Amino acid sequence: MRNWYFSILAGLLLIGLVACNNNSINDSEEIAEETVVATSTDGDITKEELYEAMKIRFGEEILRELVYGKVLSNQIEITDEEVQERLDELKEQLGPQYELALRNSGFKSDDQFIPTLTVSMLQEKIGMEAVTVTDEEIKEYYDQLKLPIRASHILVEDEQLAQEIKAKLNEGEDFSELAKEYSTDATAENGGDLDWFGPGRMLTEFEDAAYNLEIGEISDIVETMYGYHIILLTDKEEKQPFDEVYEQIKNEVRQNKVMADPTIVETAVQEALKDANVKVLDGQLKNTFTTED
């Protein structure tokens, strides 16, 4: 779902140019005031020239975002708090790559990106409202839900050495100290601590073994492409009662359905545009909302 956050091309700084006239612009209309936006010894660049150039290059993307923002915000409510929460989540997911992704998408700051993020959230939300889910689907999702866990591991390249370490653990030796002594990855200095992680973050073999442990339990030897692991489960989040998280789970199920079928959002947005009687009067942009059958 969230792969569209950086999909709209650069040009948000020019929204003011696109929307400089409350009336739609058609081919025969002219901008009355030729405001100069840049000068040089070889000639000036006017607002009209800049507008026309940007309309050709980015016009449909910008117009689409502006119209979506106006139409969808009249049907769907997105609060500033929700937008900020999603932005924080995106930053956490991308980590140090966030700033690079932002710049590569043509945004210089969060303030420039937030309008685009808001529109994408409006699209997501209107798609989710078009989805129907049953109580059976919600309960099944809840039953299969894997919450974050915290684990430590000892990783070695040799199976025989792994067996020897496992024997030491069975005799009561300290897991953290053995990890510092034998483990071959960067977690060794922290006693093998992997911190918290959720489903999909580790290799399948590792994840399956870790999620089958109880707190304080040590796994058998687990082989992955990196070598041989011995895993200690140190903590885990407990599920809240079903009735307390019903609405949250329901939203997650709906969101997963939308993620699995992008046409849900497309259809919902097109219906909203149809209800709003959107018409594009500028001939160069007339196909902005045209969809193929």
Side-chain angles (χ1 to χ4, degrees):
M1 170 55 60
R2 296 169 192 174
N3 61 354
W4 61 48
Y5 287 169
F6 290 108
S7 65
I8 298 180
L9 296 175
L12 289 182
L13 287 175
L14 297 163
I15 284 178
L17 296 178
V18 176
C20 64
N21 192 326
N22 288 332
N23 299 315
S24 298
I25 300 172
N26 61 36
D27 289 338
S28 63
E29 290 178 332
E30 296 180 357
I31 297 177
E33 181 183 359
E34 291 200 356
T35 304
V36 174
V37 295
T39 64
S40 75
T41 56
D42 296 314
D44 299 337
I45 302 297
T46 67
K47 181 193 293 184
E48 181 179 7
E49 290 176 302
L50 180 60
Y51 168 77
E52 290 299 324
M54 293 308 301
K55 183 171 68 171
I56 293 171
R57 187 175 301 182
F58 302 120
E60 290 191 0
E61 286 81 6
I62 298 173
L63 180 59
R64 191 177 295 117
E65 180 169 304
L66 287 168
V67 172
Y68 285 176
K70 284 184 178 294
V71 172
L72 300 183
S73 62
N74 283 332
Q75 301 185 28
I76 302 294
E77 181 181 1
I78 297 288
T79 66
D80 292 341
E81 290 75 18
E82 287 178 290
V83 175
Q84 186 60 52
E85 182 179 349
R86 182 64 61 83
L87 181 63
D88 293 341
E89 180 183 337
L90 190 60
K91 288 181 177 181
E92 182 179 353
Q93 289 175 343
L94 293 177
Q97 298 300 314
Y98 171 77
E99 294 296 335
L100 178 61
L102 198 68
R103 290 195 300 271
N104 287 345
S105 299
F107 302 105
K108 293 183 179 180
S109 66
D110 288 352
D111 287 341
Q112 288 184 15
F113 175 52
I114 282 174
T116 299
L117 177 62
T118 302
V119 170
S120 71
M121 291 177 66
L122 287 167
Q123 291 174 266
E124 176 184 344
K125 202 164 187 177
I126 199 170
M128 288 175 61
E129 291 198 354
V131 170
T132 302
V133 297
T134 65
D135 286 345
E136 289 75 15
E137 289 175 308
I138 298 170
K139 185 61 167 63
E140 181 180 2
Y141 183 89
Y142 173 83
D143 291 340
Q144 297 177 356
L145 187 63
K146 290 182 176 180
L147 296 178
I149 60 175
R150 186 167 191 167
S152 298
H153 79 148
I154 300 171
L155 172 64
V156 295
E157 298 178 358
D158 181 70
E159 185 177 9
Q160 179 61 40
L161 178 57
Q163 292 174 346
E164 293 174 7
I165 296 170
K166 177 65 174 172
K168 292 177 181 289
L169 290 167
N170 291 341
E171 292 170 2
E173 293 197 31
D174 184 74
F175 190 99
S176 177
E177 292 303 318
L178 290 173
K180 291 177 182 178
E181 180 178 355
Y182 292 105
S183 198
T184 59
D185 72 347
T187 66
E189 61 184 32
N190 295 321
D193 182 28
L194 292 163
D195 210 333
W196 290 89
F197 60 89
R201 292 286 300 277
M202 301 295 181
L203 294 175
T204 301
E205 307 95 319
F206 188 99
E207 180 181 309
D208 290 346
Y211 269 95
N212 281 323
L213 296 174
E214 297 297 330
I215 295 176
E217 185 180 1
I218 297 173
S219 72
D220 292 329
I221 296 169
V222 179
E223 183 180 4
T224 72
M225 61 186 292
Y226 296 115
Y228 298 90
H229 307 256
I230 303 171
I231 307 166
L232 168 65
L233 186 68
T234 55
D235 204 353
K236 65 178 180 180
E237 288 189 14
E238 298 292 344
K239 282 186 183 179
Q240 295 176 266
F242 178 67
D243 58 345
E244 292 182 13
V245 294
Y246 176 85
E247 289 299 327
Q248 177 185 337
I249 297 298
K250 181 179 180 180
N251 282 334
E252 291 184 16
V253 174
R254 292 162 70 188
Q255 188 176 57
N256 288 343
K257 284 193 173 186
V258 169
M259 291 173 65
D261 185 2
T263 63
I264 293 173
V265 170
E266 295 170 10
T267 301
V269 169
Q270 289 302 317
E271 286 296 322
L273 296 179
K274 182 178 178 180
D275 292 342
N277 194 29
V278 173
K279 296 178 181 178
V280 179
L281 304 183
D282 188 309
Q284 288 180 303
L285 302 175
K286 64 182 179 181
N287 294 323
T288 300
F289 301 102
T290 301
T291 57
E292 296 182 1
D293 295 330

